[in-house]
Amino acid sequence: MKANLRHCARILLALMVVTLSATVQAERKLLDQVVAVVNDDVILESELEARINTIVGRLSAQGTGLPPRDILEERVLEQLITESIQLQMADRAGMRISDNELNETMASIAQRNNMTLEQFEQQLNQEGVTYREAREQIRNEMITSRVQQRQVGNRVRVTDREVENYLEATSGDGASNAEYRLAHILVEVEDFNDEEEVGEAREKVERLREEIVQGRDFREVAVAESDAGNALEGGDMGWRAENQLPSLVADVVPELEPGTVSPVLENSSGFHLVMVMDRRGGDRAEVIEQSMVRHILVRPSETVSESQAEEAIRDIYQQLQDGADFGALAREYSDDPVSGSDGGNLGWVSPGQMVPEFEQAMMEADVGELKGPFRSQFGWHILEVQDRRQQDISGEVRESEARQAIYRRKFDAELQNWLREIRDEAFIEFKNDDSGDTSES
């Protein structure tokens, strides 16, 4: 009897193992089924789920509400389809992101977030994303960004006349477009017919002003002494454009230097003090640090692969380390025809003028230091900062900001048109369910 029971138990256990194995295989099959065919590529259920999990983790960490699951799946799948089309375009064009470049980018992202790579990896894990998954996603984002810049950037042109019109439109009738971060103190007067109350209020506000002039913090005074509704916020009034300043301070604020308290001001509410905590924009001098830079660019092309371009720039860098003349190498090897013919010279460069990768390397370099090789959307660079200076470039900054604003607006509009074009031209077949039903788009 016991032998029969043991025999039955073995059979039951074997059936359970077979059933469990079949279940696991079915789950794996379900997880890895194709959800869409995109030209020569496929998107798997596992890819869709991984991307959804990444997005949900990020949104949850930000405290952002989530749409219904079906809507989220639809939007994420469309994102993957558009990404696949662009990655296939990049593959046909021979665009690659090397491991060295990707490593540098990952380190840069961690640094911008004030983390080490180990801390960055831990943060990703907390959001439900492995470091490997993050690397591949960032690699894909870098590639699609280059595809977009190549395909869409060539369609965008900004004319001098457009810049002039933009500056005229944003400057209105010639008034300053400055904005001010203001703080305010009120010593209230309920009855201006009461001479004693008025005298006490005036004495108090003048005492407070003197204490601020002597070094007491304006916001501390506001919290402790102001009768205004924003006293507990340190009297903070936020940013105000010059044409939106309260009439009481409209003539005073533009003349105040940041950190300087105003004279005592009076209106029907009582006596006031105001301080400009910060200022931005407007017509005053804007002094920035400029860098005198020269560079060498090696650009991948139809005849030069990514790996060949990287190998060439590293060879040039070694020659420079060995004492070769920068200008001579730039004239011989640089793929930037304008600067290359002038020994790589770019002249005085202002912050925001170059693409982010170039600017970061430029700002990190000491005068006389070689920086690189590093990759931007244009190719592989080596740069040298030859000098630095402080320069008032108020006019140039406004023009540059206007040009960038117009370019960004045009690029974004053209990018949406281009994405619709490539989506419409692609062969896309959706796999709807386990029965194998499909639909085409």
Side-chain angles (χ1 to χ4, degrees):
M1 180 69 177
K2 290 182 179 179
N4 288 336
L5 287 174
R6 285 196 296 271
H7 179 67
C8 290
R10 290 192 189 100
I11 293 174
L12 180 60
L13 179 60
L15 288 172
M16 290 174 63
V17 169
V18 170
T19 302
L20 179 60
S21 176
T23 301
V24 170
Q25 290 177 2
E27 288 178 349
R28 286 177 177 171
K29 182 178 180 181
L30 177 63
L31 183 63
D32 288 334
Q33 70 178 342
V34 174
V35 294
V37 177
V38 184
N39 290 334
D40 299 326
D41 190 21
V42 296
I43 296 173
L44 301 175
E45 180 71 23
S46 57
E47 294 177 87
L48 178 61
E49 284 298 319
R51 181 66 61 87
I52 289 173
N53 291 337
T54 299
I55 292 173
V56 168
R58 183 170 64 245
L59 293 177
S60 298
Q62 295 171 351
T64 304
L66 297 172
R69 175 73 182 193
D70 59 336
I71 300 296
L72 183 61
E73 287 184 359
E74 181 181 344
R75 293 183 177 179
V76 173
L77 180 55
E78 279 299 321
Q79 181 186 75
L80 288 170
I81 289 171
T82 305
E83 184 178 291
S84 174
I85 297 169
Q86 294 175 85
L87 291 175
Q88 291 179 67
M89 294 175 69
D91 187 60
R92 289 193 296 270
M95 293 184 183
R96 300 288 186 274
I97 302 294
S98 69
D99 287 339
N100 285 335
E101 184 183 359
L102 185 57
N103 290 338
E104 291 170 2
T105 300
M106 298 297 289
S108 176
I109 293 172
Q111 185 179 26
R112 287 200 300 270
N113 287 278
N114 298 315
M115 298 179 186
T116 64
L117 274 175
E118 291 75 16
Q119 291 170 331
F120 184 40
E121 184 171 355
Q122 292 172 4
Q123 178 66 32
L124 290 169
N125 290 333
Q126 290 174 7
E127 296 176 4
V129 183
T130 68
Y131 187 73
R132 180 178 179 180
E133 290 170 343
R135 273 176 58 89
E136 290 311 303
Q137 180 58 29
I138 290 171
R139 188 196 299 270
N140 289 344
E141 290 173 1
M142 293 169 68
I143 292 174
T144 56
S145 176
R146 288 179 190 167
V147 172
Q148 292 170 7
Q149 190 62 46
R150 176 179 292 187
Q151 298 294 328
V152 180
N154 292 334
R155 302 185 182 190
V156 178
R157 295 290 182 272
V158 178
T159 67
D160 292 341
R161 184 59 188 165
E162 286 175 317
V163 174
E164 293 171 9
N165 291 339
Y166 182 95
L167 292 171
E168 290 174 5
T170 54
S171 63
D173 57 2
S176 171
N177 61 350
E179 293 181 300
Y180 303 90
R181 180 74 177 269
L182 300 179
H184 166 242
I185 292 171
L186 166 65
V187 177
E188 192 173 30
V189 175
E190 294 184 1
D191 183 4
F192 268 93
N193 292 320
D194 186 334
E195 293 184 2
E196 182 178 355
E197 182 189 6
V198 172
E200 289 176 355
R202 186 184 298 276
E203 181 180 340
K204 178 181 178 179
V205 75
E206 288 176 349
R207 172 178 57 81
L208 295 178
R209 184 181 187 280
E210 183 60 27
E211 290 177 4
I212 293 167
V213 169
Q214 294 300 320
R216 188 178 177 190
D217 184 73
F218 190 100
R219 290 164 294 190
E220 176 192 335
V221 174
V223 170
E225 307 283 358
S226 179
D227 297 318
N230 62 358
L232 294 178
E233 286 77 50
D236 191 355
M237 296 174 64
W239 286 97
R240 300 290 182 94
E242 187 165 326
N243 60 3
Q244 297 175 344
L245 291 173
S247 57
L248 177 68
V249 301
D251 295 332
V252 176
V253 165
E255 303 302 320
L256 289 177
E257 292 295 331
T260 304
V261 63
S262 71
V264 174
L265 305 170
E266 178 183 341
N267 69 4
S268 58
S269 300
F271 297 101
H272 306 256
L273 296 173
V274 68
M275 177 178 282
V276 176
M277 310 305 291
D278 198 1
R279 185 184 191 279
R280 63 190 182 194
D283 299 323
R284 294 189 180 182
E286 182 165 353
V287 178
I288 64 167
E289 183 177 72
Q290 291 182 316
S291 303
M292 174 71 78
V293 183
R294 57 182 179 176
H295 85 134
I296 296 172
L297 169 68
V298 176
R299 192 196 308 270
S301 65
E302 304 233 340
T303 57
V304 178
S305 69
E306 183 72 28
S307 60
Q308 288 173 327
E310 183 177 359
E311 183 180 352
I313 198 73
R314 293 191 183 281
D315 178 66
I316 293 169
Y317 183 79
Q318 186 59 53
Q319 293 183 56
L320 291 169
Q321 293 283 71
D322 293 339
D325 181 71
F326 194 107
L329 291 179
R331 280 186 284 270
E332 183 174 357
Y333 295 112
S334 182
D335 290 326
D336 181 349
V338 177
S339 69
S341 62
D342 191 27
N345 291 320
L346 294 170
W348 289 104
V349 177
S350 302
Q353 192 173 336
M354 297 298 183
V355 293
E357 300 87 350
F358 193 100
E359 179 163 334
Q360 181 179 350
M362 178 181 74
M363 299 308 296
E364 290 175 352
D366 294 328
V367 173
E369 178 187 2
L370 289 174
K371 199 71 175 179
F374 61 92
R375 183 68 156 84
S376 81
Q377 65 195 46
F378 299 109
W380 287 93
H381 305 259
I382 299 168
L383 67 77
E384 180 185 27
V385 175
Q386 298 176 283
D387 197 3
R388 284 200 167 97
R389 71 180 183 186
Q390 301 294 314
Q391 183 76 3
D392 176 9
I393 56 159
S394 301
E396 292 91 333
V397 165
R398 288 195 296 276
E399 181 176 334
S400 176
E401 289 175 346
R403 191 173 295 276
Q404 289 178 25
I406 296 168
Y407 179 87
R408 187 75 256 168
R409 185 182 64 210
K410 285 187 167 187
F411 183 92
D412 290 343
E414 194 60 42
L415 175 61
Q416 295 309 308
N417 293 334
W418 179 74
L419 290 174
R420 281 193 295 270
E421 288 175 14
I422 63 173
R423 173 68 169 76
D424 292 342
E425 293 170 359
F427 171 80
I428 300 168
E429 184 180 18
F430 295 97
K431 305 293 185 178
N432 294 328
D433 52 41
D434 293 337
S435 64
D437 291 345
T438 64
S439 62
E440 295 184 7
S441 173

mmCIF file with all atom_site columns, all heavy atoms in Angstrom, residues 251-265:
data_model
loop_
_atom_site.group_PDB
_atom_site.id
_atom_site.type_symbol
_atom_site.label_atom_id
_atom_site.label_alt_id
_atom_site.label_comp_id
_atom_site.label_asym_id
_atom_site.label_entity_id
_atom_site.label_seq_id
_atom_site.pdbx_PDB_ins_code
_atom_site.Cartn_x
_atom_site.Cartn_y
_atom_site.Cartn_z
_atom_site.occupancy
_atom_site.B_iso_or_equiv
_atom_site.pdbx_formal_charge
_atom_site.auth_seq_id
_atom_site.auth_comp_id
_atom_site.auth_asym_id
_atom_site.auth_atom_id
_atom_site.pdbx_PDB_model_num
ATOM 1   N N   . ASP A 1 251 ? 9.323  103.440 -10.836 1.00 0.00 ? 251 ASP A N   1
ATOM 2   C CA  . ASP A 1 251 ? 10.416 104.373 -11.141 1.00 0.00 ? 251 ASP A CA  1
ATOM 3   C C   . ASP A 1 251 ? 11.656 104.098 -10.304 1.00 0.00 ? 251 ASP A C   1
ATOM 4   O O   . ASP A 1 251 ? 12.737 104.601 -10.622 1.00 0.00 ? 251 ASP A O   1
ATOM 5   C CB  . ASP A 1 251 ? 9.948  105.812 -10.906 1.00 0.00 ? 251 ASP A CB  1
ATOM 6   C CG  . ASP A 1 251 ? 8.845  106.238 -11.863 1.00 0.00 ? 251 ASP A CG  1
ATOM 7   O OD1 . ASP A 1 251 ? 8.810  105.692 -12.984 1.00 0.00 ? 251 ASP A OD1 1
ATOM 8   O OD2 . ASP A 1 251 ? 8.019  107.087 -11.485 1.00 0.00 ? 251 ASP A OD2 1
ATOM 9   N N   . VAL A 1 252 ? 11.489 103.354 -9.229  1.00 0.00 ? 252 VAL A N   1
ATOM 10  C CA  . VAL A 1 252 ? 12.591 103.144 -8.291  1.00 0.00 ? 252 VAL A CA  1
ATOM 11  C C   . VAL A 1 252 ? 13.392 101.889 -8.619  1.00 0.00 ? 252 VAL A C   1
ATOM 12  O O   . VAL A 1 252 ? 14.626 101.915 -8.639  1.00 0.00 ? 252 VAL A O   1
ATOM 13  C CB  . VAL A 1 252 ? 12.037 103.055 -6.846  1.00 0.00 ? 252 VAL A CB  1
ATOM 14  C CG1 . VAL A 1 252 ? 13.168 102.742 -5.855  1.00 0.00 ? 252 VAL A CG1 1
ATOM 15  C CG2 . VAL A 1 252 ? 11.331 104.342 -6.469  1.00 0.00 ? 252 VAL A CG2 1
ATOM 16  N N   . VAL A 1 253 ? 12.687 100.791 -8.903  1.00 0.00 ? 253 VAL A N   1
ATOM 17  C CA  . VAL A 1 253 ? 13.343 99.490  -9.071  1.00 0.00 ? 253 VAL A CA  1
ATOM 18  C C   . VAL A 1 253 ? 14.406 99.485  -10.167 1.00 0.00 ? 253 VAL A C   1
ATOM 19  O O   . VAL A 1 253 ? 15.509 98.967  -9.958  1.00 0.00 ? 253 VAL A O   1
ATOM 20  C CB  . VAL A 1 253 ? 12.282 98.390  -9.314  1.00 0.00 ? 253 VAL A CB  1
ATOM 21  C CG1 . VAL A 1 253 ? 12.912 97.119  -9.846  1.00 0.00 ? 253 VAL A CG1 1
ATOM 22  C CG2 . VAL A 1 253 ? 11.530 98.109  -8.022  1.00 0.00 ? 253 VAL A CG2 1
ATOM 23  N N   . PRO A 1 254 ? 14.138 100.064 -11.365 1.00 0.00 ? 254 PRO A N   1
ATOM 24  C CA  . PRO A 1 254 ? 15.176 100.019 -12.403 1.00 0.00 ? 254 PRO A CA  1
ATOM 25  C C   . PRO A 1 254 ? 16.478 100.708 -12.015 1.00 0.00 ? 254 PRO A C   1
ATOM 26  O O   . PRO A 1 254 ? 17.524 100.434 -12.614 1.00 0.00 ? 254 PRO A O   1
ATOM 27  C CB  . PRO A 1 254 ? 14.505 100.724 -13.595 1.00 0.00 ? 254 PRO A CB  1
ATOM 28  C CG  . PRO A 1 254 ? 13.047 100.535 -13.368 1.00 0.00 ? 254 PRO A CG  1
ATOM 29  C CD  . PRO A 1 254 ? 12.875 100.629 -11.889 1.00 0.00 ? 254 PRO A CD  1
ATOM 30  N N   . GLU A 1 255 ? 16.424 101.592 -11.029 1.00 0.00 ? 255 GLU A N   1
ATOM 31  C CA  . GLU A 1 255 ? 17.634 102.301 -10.610 1.00 0.00 ? 255 GLU A CA  1
ATOM 32  C C   . GLU A 1 255 ? 18.369 101.601 -9.484  1.00 0.00 ? 255 GLU A C   1
ATOM 33  O O   . GLU A 1 255 ? 19.470 102.021 -9.110  1.00 0.00 ? 255 GLU A O   1
ATOM 34  C CB  . GLU A 1 255 ? 17.259 103.725 -10.160 1.00 0.00 ? 255 GLU A CB  1
ATOM 35  C CG  . GLU A 1 255 ? 16.539 104.546 -11.222 1.00 0.00 ? 255 GLU A CG  1
ATOM 36  C CD  . GLU A 1 255 ? 17.361 104.679 -12.499 1.00 0.00 ? 255 GLU A CD  1
ATOM 37  O OE1 . GLU A 1 255 ? 18.593 104.855 -12.396 1.00 0.00 ? 255 GLU A OE1 1
ATOM 38  O OE2 . GLU A 1 255 ? 16.764 104.597 -13.588 1.00 0.00 ? 255 GLU A OE2 1
ATOM 39  N N   . LEU A 1 256 ? 17.774 100.545 -8.924  1.00 0.00 ? 256 LEU A N   1
ATOM 40  C CA  . LEU A 1 256 ? 18.391 99.853  -7.798  1.00 0.00 ? 256 LEU A CA  1
ATOM 41  C C   . LEU A 1 256 ? 19.339 98.758  -8.274  1.00 0.00 ? 256 LEU A C   1
ATOM 42  O O   . LEU A 1 256 ? 18.990 97.978  -9.169  1.00 0.00 ? 256 LEU A O   1
ATOM 43  C CB  . LEU A 1 256 ? 17.319 99.223  -6.904  1.00 0.00 ? 256 LEU A CB  1
ATOM 44  C CG  . LEU A 1 256 ? 16.439 100.149 -6.065  1.00 0.00 ? 256 LEU A CG  1
ATOM 45  C CD1 . LEU A 1 256 ? 15.392 99.317  -5.325  1.00 0.00 ? 256 LEU A CD1 1
ATOM 46  C CD2 . LEU A 1 256 ? 17.276 100.942 -5.079  1.00 0.00 ? 256 LEU A CD2 1
ATOM 47  N N   . GLU A 1 257 ? 20.491 98.679  -7.666  1.00 0.00 ? 257 GLU A N   1
ATOM 48  C CA  . GLU A 1 257 ? 21.375 97.554  -7.902  1.00 0.00 ? 257 GLU A CA  1
ATOM 49  C C   . GLU A 1 257 ? 20.890 96.377  -7.058  1.00 0.00 ? 257 GLU A C   1
ATOM 50  O O   . GLU A 1 257 ? 20.342 96.563  -5.977  1.00 0.00 ? 257 GLU A O   1
ATOM 51  C CB  . GLU A 1 257 ? 22.814 97.900  -7.517  1.00 0.00 ? 257 GLU A CB  1
ATOM 52  C CG  . GLU A 1 257 ? 23.462 98.944  -8.407  1.00 0.00 ? 257 GLU A CG  1
ATOM 53  C CD  . GLU A 1 257 ? 23.641 98.455  -9.838  1.00 0.00 ? 257 GLU A CD  1
ATOM 54  O OE1 . GLU A 1 257 ? 23.797 97.227  -10.032 1.00 0.00 ? 257 GLU A OE1 1
ATOM 55  O OE2 . GLU A 1 257 ? 23.604 99.292  -10.750 1.00 0.00 ? 257 GLU A OE2 1
ATOM 56  N N   . PRO A 1 258 ? 21.041 95.149  -7.546  1.00 0.00 ? 258 PRO A N   1
ATOM 57  C CA  . PRO A 1 258 ? 20.642 93.993  -6.744  1.00 0.00 ? 258 PRO A CA  1
ATOM 58  C C   . PRO A 1 258 ? 21.285 94.032  -5.358  1.00 0.00 ? 258 PRO A C   1
ATOM 59  O O   . PRO A 1 258 ? 22.480 94.306  -5.215  1.00 0.00 ? 258 PRO A O   1
ATOM 60  C CB  . PRO A 1 258 ? 21.152 92.805  -7.564  1.00 0.00 ? 258 PRO A CB  1
ATOM 61  C CG  . PRO A 1 258 ? 21.111 93.304  -8.975  1.00 0.00 ? 258 PRO A CG  1
ATOM 62  C CD  . PRO A 1 258 ? 21.507 94.745  -8.892  1.00 0.00 ? 258 PRO A CD  1
ATOM 63  N N   . GLY A 1 259 ? 20.468 93.787  -4.329  1.00 0.00 ? 259 GLY A N   1
ATOM 64  C CA  . GLY A 1 259 ? 20.955 93.783  -2.963  1.00 0.00 ? 259 GLY A CA  1
ATOM 65  C C   . GLY A 1 259 ? 20.888 95.134  -2.279  1.00 0.00 ? 259 GLY A C   1
ATOM 66  O O   . GLY A 1 259 ? 21.266 95.260  -1.114  1.00 0.00 ? 259 GLY A O   1
ATOM 67  N N   . THR A 1 260 ? 20.388 96.153  -2.983  1.00 0.00 ? 260 THR A N   1
ATOM 68  C CA  . THR A 1 260 ? 20.289 97.501  -2.422  1.00 0.00 ? 260 THR A CA  1
ATOM 69  C C   . THR A 1 260 ? 18.847 97.791  -2.037  1.00 0.00 ? 260 THR A C   1
ATOM 70  O O   . THR A 1 260 ? 17.931 97.557  -2.822  1.00 0.00 ? 260 THR A O   1
ATOM 71  C CB  . THR A 1 260 ? 20.769 98.555  -3.440  1.00 0.00 ? 260 THR A CB  1
ATOM 72  O OG1 . THR A 1 260 ? 22.098 98.234  -3.843  1.00 0.00 ? 260 THR A OG1 1
ATOM 73  C CG2 . THR A 1 260 ? 20.733 99.946  -2.827  1.00 0.00 ? 260 THR A CG2 1
ATOM 74  N N   . VAL A 1 261 ? 18.646 98.320  -0.818  1.00 0.00 ? 261 VAL A N   1
ATOM 75  C CA  . VAL A 1 261 ? 17.298 98.613  -0.357  1.00 0.00 ? 261 VAL A CA  1
ATOM 76  C C   . VAL A 1 261 ? 16.859 99.978  -0.876  1.00 0.00 ? 261 VAL A C   1
ATOM 77  O O   . VAL A 1 261 ? 17.666 100.899 -1.046  1.00 0.00 ? 261 VAL A O   1
ATOM 78  C CB  . VAL A 1 261 ? 17.222 98.572  1.189   1.00 0.00 ? 261 VAL A CB  1
ATOM 79  C CG1 . VAL A 1 261 ? 18.097 99.649  1.811   1.00 0.00 ? 261 VAL A CG1 1
ATOM 80  C CG2 . VAL A 1 261 ? 15.784 98.685  1.678   1.00 0.00 ? 261 VAL A CG2 1
ATOM 81  N N   . SER A 1 262 ? 15.584 100.104 -1.161  1.00 0.00 ? 262 SER A N   1
ATOM 82  C CA  . SER A 1 262 ? 15.036 101.344 -1.703  1.00 0.00 ? 262 SER A CA  1
ATOM 83  C C   . SER A 1 262 ? 14.909 102.396 -0.609  1.00 0.00 ? 262 SER A C   1
ATOM 84  O O   . SER A 1 262 ? 14.979 102.093 0.590   1.00 0.00 ? 262 SER A O   1
ATOM 85  C CB  . SER A 1 262 ? 13.653 101.084 -2.284  1.00 0.00 ? 262 SER A CB  1
ATOM 86  O OG  . SER A 1 262 ? 12.722 100.838 -1.238  1.00 0.00 ? 262 SER A OG  1
ATOM 87  N N   . PRO A 1 263 ? 14.696 103.660 -1.001  1.00 0.00 ? 263 PRO A N   1
ATOM 88  C CA  . PRO A 1 263 ? 14.266 104.657 -0.019  1.00 0.00 ? 263 PRO A CA  1
ATOM 89  C C   . PRO A 1 263 ? 12.899 104.266 0.533   1.00 0.00 ? 263 PRO A C   1
ATOM 90  O O   . PRO A 1 263 ? 12.224 103.384 -0.014  1.00 0.00 ? 263 PRO A O   1
ATOM 91  C CB  . PRO A 1 263 ? 14.183 105.956 -0.842  1.00 0.00 ? 263 PRO A CB  1
ATOM 92  C CG  . PRO A 1 263 ? 14.936 105.679 -2.101  1.00 0.00 ? 263 PRO A CG  1
ATOM 93  C CD  . PRO A 1 263 ? 14.830 104.209 -2.358  1.00 0.00 ? 263 PRO A CD  1
ATOM 94  N N   . VAL A 1 264 ? 12.475 104.915 1.606   1.00 0.00 ? 264 VAL A N   1
ATOM 95  C CA  . VAL A 1 264 ? 11.134 104.667 2.134   1.00 0.00 ? 264 VAL A CA  1
ATOM 96  C C   . VAL A 1 264 ? 10.108 105.185 1.130   1.00 0.00 ? 264 VAL A C   1
ATOM 97  O O   . VAL A 1 264 ? 10.194 106.308 0.639   1.00 0.00 ? 264 VAL A O   1
ATOM 98  C CB  . VAL A 1 264 ? 10.949 105.370 3.496   1.00 0.00 ? 264 VAL A CB  1
ATOM 99  C CG1 . VAL A 1 264 ? 9.493  105.227 3.962   1.00 0.00 ? 264 VAL A CG1 1
ATOM 100 C CG2 . VAL A 1 264 ? 11.907 104.777 4.525   1.00 0.00 ? 264 VAL A CG2 1
ATOM 101 N N   . LEU A 1 265 ? 9.154  104.336 0.803   1.00 0.00 ? 265 LEU A N   1
ATOM 102 C CA  . LEU A 1 265 ? 8.100  104.680 -0.150  1.00 0.00 ? 265 LEU A CA  1
ATOM 103 C C   . LEU A 1 265 ? 6.764  104.720 0.598   1.00 0.00 ? 265 LEU A C   1
ATOM 104 O O   . LEU A 1 265 ? 6.554  103.980 1.558   1.00 0.00 ? 265 LEU A O   1
ATOM 105 C CB  . LEU A 1 265 ? 8.036  103.641 -1.276  1.00 0.00 ? 265 LEU A CB  1
ATOM 106 C CG  . LEU A 1 265 ? 9.347  103.399 -2.030  1.00 0.00 ? 265 LEU A CG  1
ATOM 107 C CD1 . LEU A 1 265 ? 9.225  102.188 -2.952  1.00 0.00 ? 265 LEU A CD1 1
ATOM 108 C CD2 . LEU A 1 265 ? 9.757  104.634 -2.817  1.00 0.00 ? 265 LEU A CD2 1
#
